[in-house]
Amino acid sequence: MPRKKAPAKKQPKKVLAKKAPAKKKAVKKVVPKNVAPKKEKKKTKGPNYATLRGMKDILPKEGVSWQHMYHTAEDIANAYGFSYIETPILEQAMLFTRSIGKGTDVVDKEMYVFEDKDGSRVCLRPEVTASVARSYINHGMQTFPQPVKVWYWGQMFRHDRPQAGRYRQFHQFGCETLGVQSPVVDAELIAVAYNTLRDLGIETTVRINSIGTVEDRENYIVELVGYLRSKRSYLSDESKKRINKNPLRVLDSKHEQDQAVMEEAPQILDWLSDKSRGFFMNVLEYLDEAGIPYVLTPTLVRGLDYYTDTVFELYAEDDEGSQSALGGGGRYNGLIEQLGGEETPAAGFSLGIERIAMVLKKQREELEKQENYKPEKPGGIFFAQLGEQACKRSLYLIEELRRKDLRVYHNLAKSSLKAQLETANKLGVSHTLILGQKEVQDETILVRNMESGIQEVVDQKKIANTVQKLLSK
Ligand code: AMP
């Protein structure tokens, strides 16, 4: 095959050198006296993305406390026979407007509602009870053995004015018992809420009331509206507006002037039917038996449309007269039917996790202020390694220990032994396992007593036994 002729090399074009531009004469800037020179803006690395108002990160330093709250809730819910449920965060807006009801703050002011890409109106859930009721209907849970008992944990969204203990995104833990009308169900739910807080170290008082059946309430509202109209001039502007819109909400108004008026107001308990009164008395008897302290609170109505009969809220005991509840709940016998299901009695509660976290933080801070306070040392064991070979072997040994449910602190990213021992000291561990080059070769490991500094050589095969013994000391 004839070779192609190599193309002739192109001669580079002669480029005429451009004339260098004439140097500008340096002009001295005259800075007028008494005028501070303009500061150059510092260049930031990128845009500053702040979290949205009313929303916050839960940081690693809060992680232990959050995990503790979650596991306490999980343990107690499981112990009382509740099964875990998780419903979507995004739901049809109608689900909440119909169930919680117009005229409530949650529906009128606080829901995050928006139009989805298909034009439907959706919202970020402001609570979970309505979602659980929807799920009960959608999945034919009325055919399951009754009651159906479920618990949940997750984020809620309410576009409220943020302040201490009030966020736009917050977490709730809650339990719902569906399918049974019995006072023991209400008492059990209150016990679960109360004992969850007690297990977390928070003593609470339960404020409780009954708002009867829908008919009881209708009769009572006629009486209440008459009374409120007669006292209109003494009420706050907010309550004046509520007389027609949602008169029950005037009962638990936070305004002092309203509270004075409500002292004389007719009480819903006097308007309960015999059936509702009997049911409520039974709930209280169960609470007495269970040793759960409660305060009868005739002004407590909870404000949401779906409640019937028992309503309750929990307040930290050292928070006398506090306006912010740690949790609340009640019976909602009409909700499932209202959402298109069969008539189904049900009740539930939810606890606000951010508010619980605040109480726990306050308790910790008060403890730390005490003169004889000594921080609790968590104990445990640290695993330190020195050198590349040791670092590689460490991952294997740490996993071997983990499989036996033996956990050790470690920081494999650090290579200096001094730095690792410093971390071990900060953590307050009693012993540190040290794996160096020599130990890798000998298949041994050093066990250092952090207090005395005495080190012992242990066969690597015996690590698990040694760690188990040290951890159980
Ligand atoms: P609710 O059913 O509205 O009474 O809510 C139950 C619990 O959730 C309350 O007692 C609070 O502890 C908590 N909670 C309600 N709204 C908020 C909020 N905006 N921010 C933080 N926690 C909240």
Side-chain angles (χ1 to χ4, degrees):
M1 224 167 114
R3 275 192 181 182
K4 272 189 183 169
K5 219 179 168 187
K9 263 188 187 174
K10 275 187 182 170
Q11 286 299 317
K13 274 185 188 168
K14 269 191 182 171
V15 182
L16 284 175
K18 271 187 185 167
K19 231 183 176 183
K23 263 189 188 173
K24 272 186 187 169
K25 268 190 185 172
V27 182
K28 230 186 179 184
K29 266 189 185 170
V30 182
V31 181
K33 274 181 190 171
N34 304 327
V35 176
K38 261 192 186 173
K39 268 188 189 168
E40 263 194 30
K41 264 193 185 173
K42 260 192 189 171
K43 272 189 187 165
T44 47
K45 277 189 182 153
N48 182 7
Y49 297 112
T51 47
L52 298 178
R53 199 161 122 77
M55 309 206 171
K56 67 185 188 92
D57 297 322
I58 295 156
L59 297 171
K61 66 175 180 186
E62 302 162 273
V64 173
S65 172
W66 273 76
Q67 281 181 316
H68 177 58
M69 290 189 287
Y70 179 84
H71 290 308
T72 305
E74 179 187 38
D75 276 355
I76 200 152
N78 287 338
Y80 277 86
F82 289 83
S83 308
Y84 184 70
I85 191 167
E86 200 167 314
T87 57
I89 283 176
L90 205 59
E91 294 265 14
Q92 289 182 41
M94 272 294 276
L95 174 65
F96 300 104
T97 39
R98 283 199 62 190
S99 55
I100 297 173
K102 287 194 175 139
T104 58
D105 283 351
V106 173
V107 167
D108 289 1
K109 300 184 198 159
E110 298 167 7
M111 284 216 307
Y112 275 90
V113 185
F114 57 93
E115 201 175 275
D116 205 350
K117 288 189 196 292
D118 62 1
S120 56
R121 262 167 61 83
V122 294
C123 87
L124 296 175
R125 64 181 183 198
E127 54 123 62
V128 172
T129 303
S131 303
V132 167
R134 177 199 51 67
S135 183
Y136 183 89
I137 300 167
N138 291 168
H139 299 282
M141 290 192 210
Q142 67 277 7
T143 60
F144 295 7
Q146 304 294 305
V148 170
K149 294 167 73 175
V150 292
W151 75 276
Y152 61 85
W153 173 290
Q155 285 96 330
M156 310 298 144
F157 301 83
R158 294 185 194 174
H159 199 281
D160 204 347
R161 198 152 36 85
Q163 51 182 265
R166 201 195 285 162
Y167 301 97
R168 289 184 176 172
Q169 175 182 297
F170 59 97
H171 294 71
Q172 283 184 340
F173 155 62
C175 293
E176 312 283 348
T177 303
L178 307 108
V180 170
Q181 167 77 0
S182 164
V184 74
V185 165
D186 304 37
E188 184 186 65
L189 286 161
I190 295 170
V192 174
Y194 176 82
N195 289 324
T196 304
L197 292 166
R198 199 167 71 161
D199 281 8
L200 287 169
I202 305 174
E203 290 301 329
T204 54
T205 304
V206 179
R207 296 186 194 168
I208 191 165
N209 193 20
S210 172
I211 53 170
T213 60
V214 175
E215 295 83 62
D216 296 344
R217 223 166 353 157
E218 276 169 4
N219 293 335
Y220 169 68
I221 285 174
V222 173
E223 182 75 11
L224 179 67
V225 168
Y227 172 78
L228 293 176
R229 286 199 177 129
S230 72
K231 304 281 175 191
R232 197 170 188 282
S233 56
Y234 301 103
L235 291 172
S236 66
D237 288 344
E238 198 179 11
S239 288
K240 276 180 194 150
K241 279 187 214 147
R242 281 181 169 157
I243 295 180
N244 295 324
K245 229 174 154 192
N246 193 347
L248 287 179
R249 284 315 307 269
V250 183
L251 287 176
D252 61 6
S253 158
K254 311 283 184 253
H255 294 282
E256 250 176 53
Q257 64 198 97
D258 296 336
Q259 283 168 3
V261 175
M262 294 331 293
E263 271 170 26
E264 305 281 303
Q267 298 199 350
I268 197 161
L269 284 175
D270 297 329
W271 292 82
L272 296 187
S273 55
D274 289 346
K275 206 170 154 202
S276 278
R277 186 176 299 112
F279 185 88
F280 187 46
M281 289 308 139
N282 281 334
V283 174
L284 299 183
E285 277 161 25
Y286 278 111
L287 293 180
D288 288 333
E289 279 298 317
I292 294 171
Y294 60 83
V295 179
L296 266 181
T297 312
T299 51
L300 179 71
V301 286
R302 302 267 306 137
L304 308 190
D305 269 7
Y306 58 58
Y307 284 119
T308 52
D309 287 318
T310 323
V311 285
F312 57 90
E313 280 180 346
L314 295 101
Y315 288 80
E317 249 178 19
D318 58 355
D319 222 1
E320 287 270 311
S322 165
Q323 307 271 14
S324 49
L326 296 182
R331 182 154 278 284
Y332 49 92
N333 286 347
L335 178 60
I336 290 169
E337 204 182 355
Q338 194 189 355
L339 293 177
E342 291 167 16
E343 195 183 329
T344 311
F349 76 83
S350 65
L351 299 180
I353 306 305
E354 279 75 4
R355 296 221 183 135
I356 296 173
M358 271 172 65
V359 174
L360 294 178
K361 187 166 173 249
K362 200 170 139 202
Q363 284 181 353
R364 264 197 310 276
E365 283 167 358
E366 265 156 30
L367 199 73
E368 281 165 19
K369 268 189 232 154
Q370 286 173 9
E371 247 176 55
N372 51 357
Y373 169 75
K374 271 196 197 132
E376 223 178 87
K377 290 205 168 176
I381 288 179
F382 193 86
F383 191 115
Q385 37 69 41
L386 191 65
E388 203 183 317
Q389 288 296 322
C391 189
K392 281 181 185 157
R393 181 78 183 147
S394 297
L395 215 48
Y396 174 84
L397 291 174
I398 289 169
E399 174 56 15
E400 204 177 58
L401 290 172
R402 190 198 64 81
R403 278 170 196 267
K404 293 185 172 133
D405 219 12
L406 301 166
R407 287 161 192 229
V408 286
Y409 297 105
H410 58 273
N411 186 349
L412 299 182
K414 281 225 163 101
S415 51
S416 130
L417 183 61
K418 191 172 164 234
Q420 291 177 75
L421 288 178
E422 266 169 24
T423 313
N425 264 328
K426 266 189 207 151
L427 286 166
V429 297
S430 64
H431 291 78
T432 297
L433 306 175
I434 303 172
L435 187 73
Q437 195 81 0
K438 183 172 181 301
E439 286 73 31
V440 174
Q441 257 134 44
D442 297 353
E443 296 190 6
T444 58
I445 195 155
L446 295 178
V447 180
R448 179 186 174 96
N449 182 319
M450 294 301 283
E451 210 169 284
S452 64
I454 294 171
Q455 297 189 161
E456 209 186 313
V457 182
V458 171
D459 194 323
Q460 270 179 28
K461 288 193 193 90
K462 291 183 185 157
I463 292 188
N465 267 347
T466 312
V467 170
Q468 195 152 34
K469 270 187 209 151
L470 294 174
L471 286 176
S472 58
K473 262 187 189 171

